[in-house]
């Protein structure tokens, strides 16, 4: 039951944001009373906490699964950027969390740092193995890759440009790894 409540809340959060979705909407969607919801969660904030906890756990799990594969380092970086999440987390929701839900924002920041550290470790390994140029600025490249992944949570950007998330990430990472200047013009 808790999972159904959080899943429904996730849909409403993606649609309305953290502040505007209501327990009444969840009850209506699930065809149950608010009282039943309150038997599982004491407040809307508890539901929001469960939403973020589920999102973060699914992202970490996806990242750890990626690290255990035999894929190439560039493919692992791609897969980490495109980590599968149980829920959509639009940019607007991230902004709301940053302003109004400091505990959830701290969790998002911990996840961001975890992924940044993992990416930097993969890049260092790639340099050691001769995959990447030895003179790259790892901190800058790691940050660029991290910002690339954040950019593709902006579903409005994707819709406006008729891009699917995976296509957009592929293209962005190709630009990062292969550059944008043609070889004959280097």
């Amino acid at each position: 039951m808790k999972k159904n409540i959080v899943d429904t809340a996730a849909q409403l959060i993606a649609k309305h944001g953290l502040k505007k979705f209501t327990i009444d909407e969840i009850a209506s969607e699930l065809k149950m009373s608010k009282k039943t919801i309150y038997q599982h969660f004491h407040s809307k904030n508890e539901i929001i906490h469960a939403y973020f906890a589920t999102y973060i756990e699914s992202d970490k799990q996806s990242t750890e699964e990626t690290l255990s594969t035999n894929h190439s380092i560039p493919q692992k970086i791609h897969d980490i950027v495109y980590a599968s999440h149980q829920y959509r987390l639009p940019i607007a929701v991230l902004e709301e969390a940053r302003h109004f839900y400091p505990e959830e924002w701290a969790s998002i920041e911990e996840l961001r740092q975890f992924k940044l550290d993992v990416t930097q470790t993969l890049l260092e390994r790639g340099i050691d193995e001769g995959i990447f140029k030895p003179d790259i600025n790892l901190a800058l490249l790691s940050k660029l890759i991290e910002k690339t992944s954040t950019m593709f949570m902006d579903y409005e950007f994707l819709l406006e440009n008729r891009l699917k998330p995976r296509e957009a990430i592929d293209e962005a990472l190709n630009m990062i790894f292969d550059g944008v200047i043609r070889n004959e013009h280097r």
Side-chain angles (χ1 to χ4, degrees):
M1 181 59 68
K2 281 183 122 174
K3 183 181 178 337
N4 289 343
I5 293 168
V6 176
D7 288 349
T8 302
Q11 293 170 4
L12 295 168
I13 289 168
K15 191 175 184 180
H16 303 297
L18 296 169
K19 294 291 236 176
K20 293 185 179 176
F21 88 94
T22 67
I23 301 291
D24 285 329
E25 288 174 307
I26 295 171
S28 175
E29 288 284 324
L30 293 175
K31 297 178 182 15
M32 66 174 57
S33 70
K34 284 173 45 174
K35 184 177 178 180
T36 302
I37 293 171
Y38 284 121
Q39 289 173 348
H40 298 281
F41 294 96
H42 294 100
S43 67
K44 178 178 168 178
N45 284 344
E46 273 190 29
I47 295 171
I48 290 171
H49 179 76
Y51 163 78
F52 277 101
T54 303
Y55 177 89
I56 288 165
E57 184 56 36
S58 69
D59 195 321
K60 278 187 176 179
Q61 183 178 353
S62 178
T63 299
E64 289 168 357
E65 286 171 6
T66 294
L67 291 173
S68 68
T69 67
N70 292 328
H71 295 157
S72 68
I73 290 173
Q75 183 62 49
K76 284 182 180 184
I77 291 170
H78 174 278
D79 293 347
I80 288 168
V81 169
Y82 194 75
S84 50
H85 305 102
Q86 183 149 349
Y87 305 127
R88 270 185 37 192
L89 187 59
I91 295 291
V93 171
L94 282 174
E95 283 300 308
E96 273 189 282
R98 187 167 67 85
H99 291 293
F100 303 111
Y101 298 91
E103 185 179 322
E104 312 322 329
W105 180 250
S107 297
I108 291 291
E109 283 295 301
E110 285 175 28
L111 174 65
R112 184 192 60 75
Q113 189 60 52
F114 165 75
K115 291 180 77 163
L116 194 58
D117 292 345
V118 165
T119 301
Q120 191 148 351
T121 299
L122 286 171
L123 290 169
E124 288 167 356
R125 227 176 82 207
I127 288 172
D128 291 345
E129 294 178 16
I131 297 168
F132 302 121
K133 296 177 184 176
D135 60 343
I136 60 172
N137 182 324
L138 283 177
L140 183 61
L141 183 56
S142 295
K143 191 69 167 175
L144 183 60
I145 291 170
E146 178 215 347
K147 290 298 182 185
T148 298
S149 66
T150 304
M151 182 173 69
F152 296 113
M153 290 190 295
D154 183 351
Y155 297 101
E156 288 179 25
F157 169 82
L158 295 173
L159 286 173
E160 284 173 17
N161 293 284
R162 296 184 184 140
L163 294 168
K164 294 179 181 168
R166 186 167 293 279
E167 294 168 344
I169 288 169
D170 287 345
E171 185 64 28
L173 290 175
N174 283 339
M175 285 182 208
I176 290 169
F177 290 138
D178 297 335
V180 294
I181 300 173
R182 292 176 163 197
N183 286 335
E184 65 265 19
H185 295 285
R186 291 179 192 239

